[in-house]
Amino acid sequence: MSAVFGRRMSEAAEAPPPAMPHRPVAVPAVAPARVAVHEWAPGRRPAIEEVRVEAMARIDPASVAQMEREALQPLIVRLVDEIATERRIQLNGHEQAQLATELVHDMLGLGPLEPLLADDSITDIMVNGPERVYIEQRGRLLLSPVRFRDRQHVLNVAQRIATGIGRRVDESSPIVDARLPDGSRVNIVVPPLALDGTTIAIRKFSRRWIDLDTLAGFRSLSPAMARAFEVFARARLNIIISGGTGSGKTTLLNALSRHIDPGERIITVEDAAELQLQQPHVVRLETRPPNLEGSGEITVRALIKTCLRLRPDRIIVGETRGAEAFDMLQAMNTGHPGSMSTIHANSTRDALSRIENMVLMGNVGLPTRAIRQQVASAVDVVIQVQRMRDGVRRVTQVSEILGLEGETVVTQDLFRFEGKAAGPDGLLHGAYRATGIRPGFMDQIEQYGLGAEYLAALDMAEA
């Protein structure tokens, strides 16, 4: 105990400053979340805070940082009991254990966000200052009961996240993209850019292995589409998954990747590693942001160029968002069929326009027709996903790229979701339809011996 709790209140620095005053903000009318989060009774908070401040003053941060949670928890419980006895503060066993847990979360974890991170039903966590923490739970945006003590408490958690990846977040570097140890993606914006206090957005890393059949069970696509997508992946078609933020693009990309032949060499390129490939021969590359001096940045485009020299069978780019679109098209056109990527767009047609615009961002000096020719010859299928108003993420359109006619890239739909009005259960009712058109890449599918499987998928859709 002495090594960890060596400092006494008299030896410690002055008590932490009071909470920074801030403008009260009206909370919007959002349904409350069902999350197992402990809330102190208002009458108990002053006593709890007195014990908390004293405990933090006695803890040696350097020693605590080297300990495991399981070893630290009982020591903190003893410390809380000791302080409560000294100060004649009545805390029952449950209160002591709960306060000790919160202290451990603050010292080794992400403070009050820890219960949200542990809840597998939550996919996104959005901190808008100390008093407004929203979550996405089962497709719906909800206001959680989680609160931080003050603005400094939120900033401390944000700085702990940034420090964990060797970066810092403060006024001189107010925006940080990071990743938690479990793979969850984090974006942080601090004042003065964030006017109402530090903003943290966490896209949680799924612990579940989701395949196409699972997505069909979620009604994100039909069983027929699941079989067709399996054929697309096995037949090494070049696939672009298009959709908005949080629409399920990466989840679908992960599910598609499960059907890649385990004998192939796959190289992934990502800003923040989210892909969960199960094949034995995978090389994972991740970008690097610039350092504080503005140098040392490694971009997606640089990594795509590098991976072309690493003898890939397939290249999977987590997200194409800039000039690297040109290099991605080049890879698809030069002996790397079966490559995949995601893109932000509102429809399959918009996805092609976005790719064209991103190629132009690279200042490659190509005429528009040449870019469209590259797109038409490189991309085989565009899959559109959308998070709909009932919270369900669905595949709404699957389009084949046929080629170039004049100045226009010609597409045709293979599958569509035809939505109807929401029912009494709040879910949007509709049907997945197959157009029944024989795709132009049918010859390629048959070369892999998968023609019968694709036709069976179409028959399933018609049934």
Side-chain angles (χ1 to χ4, degrees):
M1 291 278 287
S2 60
V4 178
F5 311 119
R7 296 184 300 151
R8 306 295 299 181
M9 189 67 171
S10 59
E11 302 167 351
E14 294 183 0
M20 183 183 297
H22 59 279
R23 176 174 53 87
V25 180
V27 176
V30 178
R34 295 181 179 180
V35 182
V37 175
H38 179 81
E39 295 185 73
W40 296 106
R44 300 295 292 158
R45 287 175 185 166
I48 295 297
E49 286 305 308
E50 181 179 346
V51 177
R52 186 198 308 273
V53 171
E54 174 70 9
M56 292 300 291
R58 297 189 186 188
I59 292 170
D60 180 11
S63 298
V64 166
Q66 307 301 319
M67 299 185 65
E68 297 292 334
R69 288 175 183 249
E70 293 76 11
L72 181 60
Q73 178 83 17
L75 297 181
I76 298 293
V77 171
R78 289 167 56 189
L79 177 66
V80 168
D81 179 60
E82 177 185 320
I83 294 172
T85 301
E86 291 175 0
R87 302 251 173 157
R88 302 181 183 278
I89 296 174
Q90 296 296 322
L91 297 181
N92 59 40
H94 175 74
E95 289 175 327
Q96 291 182 12
Q98 181 60 39
L99 179 54
T101 298
E102 291 184 5
L103 287 167
V104 171
H105 286 339
D106 275 341
M107 290 181 287
L108 298 182
L110 300 187
L113 299 183
E114 288 291 322
L116 305 183
L117 292 168
D119 190 333
D120 289 338
S121 69
I122 296 172
T123 55
D124 286 86
I125 303 170
M126 294 145 281
V127 180
N128 302 347
E131 297 179 355
R132 292 177 296 158
V133 178
Y134 291 88
I135 61 173
E136 183 180 304
Q137 191 174 45
R138 299 180 180 88
R140 297 185 181 275
L141 191 65
L142 305 169
L143 179 64
S144 83
V146 168
R147 299 291 183 272
F148 289 82
R149 293 190 296 277
D150 49 45
R151 288 192 175 195
Q152 186 61 44
H153 192 194
V154 188
L155 182 58
N156 290 344
V157 169
Q159 290 174 336
R160 187 175 300 115
I161 294 172
T163 302
I165 61 167
R167 302 189 64 190
R168 76 181 197 190
V169 58
D170 51 30
E171 288 188 8
S172 63
S173 180
I175 300 176
V176 168
D177 286 311
R179 189 176 73 250
L180 298 181
D182 69 352
S184 298
R185 188 173 65 192
V186 186
N187 182 265
I188 301 169
V189 184
V190 303
L193 300 188
L195 300 182
D196 295 320
T198 299
T199 298
I200 305 172
I202 301 175
R203 171 69 53 82
K204 287 179 60 179
F205 184 84
S206 176
R207 297 183 179 92
R208 299 178 56 190
W209 304 118
I210 296 179
D211 57 18
L212 293 172
D213 290 331
T214 304
L215 292 177
F218 291 161
R219 293 168 296 187
S220 295
L221 45 84
S222 68
M225 293 166 72
R227 299 286 72 78
F229 290 177
E230 178 182 343
V231 170
F232 293 168
R234 292 168 61 193
R236 302 193 68 176
L237 299 181
N238 291 324
I239 301 172
I240 299 293
I241 301 174
S242 166
T245 300
S247 59
K249 299 186 297 298
T250 302
T251 299
L252 180 56
L253 183 58
N254 271 320
L256 281 169
S257 72
R258 293 174 67 89
H259 299 285
I260 296 175
D261 191 310
E264 297 182 36
R265 176 175 167 86
I266 308 165
I267 300 184
T268 67
V269 177
E270 300 177 79
D271 269 329
E274 293 182 281
L275 296 175
Q276 305 174 51
L277 274 64
Q278 301 302 298
Q279 288 74 11
H281 199 164
V282 177
V283 177
R284 304 168 71 208
L285 304 180
E286 187 177 51
T287 62
R288 185 177 70 187
N291 58 26
L292 295 177
E293 289 72 35
S295 61
E297 180 180 17
I298 306 296
T299 64
V300 171
R301 186 169 194 185
L303 291 179
I304 293 177
K305 291 179 179 179
T306 297
C307 74
L308 290 174
R309 305 184 185 99
L310 297 177
R311 198 251 174 236
D313 288 316
R314 299 196 196 213
I315 299 171
I316 299 182
V317 180
E319 182 178 341
T320 302
R321 63 177 69 179
E324 68 272 7
F326 176 73
D327 303 282
M328 186 68 191
L329 293 177
Q330 291 291 94
M332 290 178 170
N333 272 322
T334 54
H336 303 92
S339 296
M340 305 176 187
S341 186
T342 71
I343 190 173
H344 280 82
N346 295 323
S347 69
T348 57
R349 171 62 63 180
D350 286 346
L352 301 179
S353 299
R354 281 221 64 206
I355 293 173
E356 180 182 329
N357 290 334
M358 288 188 291
V359 172
L360 291 172
M361 290 169 57
N363 299 316
V364 294
L366 289 175
T368 300
R369 179 177 174 79
I371 296 173
R372 291 176 182 172
Q373 183 64 56
Q374 288 269 357
V375 173
S377 60
V379 181
D380 294 310
V381 179
V382 181
I383 301 173
Q384 182 70 30
V385 293
Q386 180 181 345
R387 184 176 64 178
M388 308 191 85
R389 64 178 182 271
D390 59 355
V392 178
R393 295 164 170 85
R394 293 183 175 90
V395 175
T396 58
Q397 187 181 16
V398 181
S399 298
E400 175 195 9
I401 312 304
L402 292 175
L404 193 66
E405 288 187 4
E407 298 291 328
T408 304
V409 178
V410 180
T411 67
Q412 66 179 9
D413 286 349
L414 301 178
F415 296 91
R416 286 192 297 266
F417 175 75
E418 298 175 357
K420 300 177 182 177
D425 56 0
L427 294 175
L428 185 66
H429 294 273
Y432 293 100
R433 306 291 187 191
T435 61
I437 298 173
R438 178 186 173 92
F441 48 72
M442 193 67 185
D443 289 344
Q444 182 172 338
I445 289 176
E446 290 175 342
Q447 288 174 12
Y448 283 84
L450 300 171
E453 292 189 33
Y454 184 73
L455 293 177
L458 294 183
D459 291 340
M460 186 190 305
E462 293 175 0

